[in-house]
Amino acid sequence: MTLTKADCEVRAVLEEWAKATRQGRIDQVLNNHAANLVIFDVLPPMKYESAESYRSSWDEWQPQTEGEAVFDLENLTITAGDDVAFAHCFIRCGGTLPDGRTFQDLVRATFCLRKVNGSWVIEHQHVSKPYENR
C-alpha cells in the first residue's frame, strides 16, 4: 500500500498528539485540535463540545505516572483526501503510578480531520472501550 502525502501528514498529527499525551505535555495535547471540536471520550462526562472543556477536565481523570506513560497508537489506519481525512486505531495506554503499581488498558479511537489553511486539524475524536456485560 502506498502512502500519500496527506496520509503521512495526518499520521504525523496523530503521532504528535499521542507523544504529547504520553509525555504529559498537557498544553500541547490539543495543538492540532479545532477549538469547537466534539470529543466523545471513554470517561465521564463522555462528551466534550470544545477543546477548552476537554483541556479543563484533564487533571480530573489523567493519572499521574512515574516517567513517561504508555500511550501507543496501534494498527493506525488513515484515509485522507485533499481536505478531509479519517483514521482509526487502538490505543494502548498505561504506566506506573507513584506508589509503584502499574496499569494498562486498550481502547479504540476514531478521528475526523479537516485541512485548514494548509494544516490538518482534528475536528472530531472518539475514544471508547467495549462494555463487558457479565
Side-chain angles (χ1 to χ4, degrees), residues 1 23 28 35 40-41 50 52 60 72 90 93 96 99 102 110 113 123 127-128:
M1 181 170 143
Q23 294 176 346
Q28 285 88 42
F40 292 131
D41 200 57
S50 70
E52 180 55 36
E60 296 172 23
D72 299 325
F90 290 104
C93 44
T96 302
D99 66 5
T102 61
T110 303
L113 300 93
E123 295 275 349
V127 179
S128 64

Side-chain angles (χ1 to χ4, degrees), residues 33-53:
H33 288 66
N36 62 345
L37 86 158
V38 172
I39 295 178
F40 292 131
D41 200 57
V42 69
L43 298 172
M46 297 175 63
K47 181 180 181 184
Y48 299 90
E49 295 192 40
S50 70
E52 180 55 36
S53 67

Side-chain angles (χ1 to χ4, degrees), residues 54-130:
Y54 184 71
R55 168 61 184 91
S56 67
S57 75
W58 185 270
D59 293 333
E60 296 172 23
W61 57 265
Q62 181 65 25
Q64 289 289 357
T65 58
E66 295 294 313
E68 192 168 283
V70 175
F71 199 83
D72 299 325
L73 306 183
E74 298 181 358
N75 303 108
L76 179 59
T77 302
I78 298 166
T79 301
D82 292 336
D83 58 359
V84 175
F86 63 89
H88 56 85
C89 64
F90 290 104
I91 302 173
R92 185 162 310 276
C93 44
T96 302
L97 299 170
D99 66 5
R101 290 182 298 134
T102 61
F103 67 97
Q104 182 172 297
D105 207 351
L106 185 68
V107 296
R108 56 194 175 193
T110 303
F111 306 90
C112 301
L113 300 93
R114 188 166 53 98
K115 201 165 202 178
V116 178
N117 297 325
S119 298
W120 288 101
V121 176
I122 299 170
E123 295 275 349
H124 176 66
Q125 176 177 309
H126 186 148
V127 179
S128 64
K129 181 174 177 160

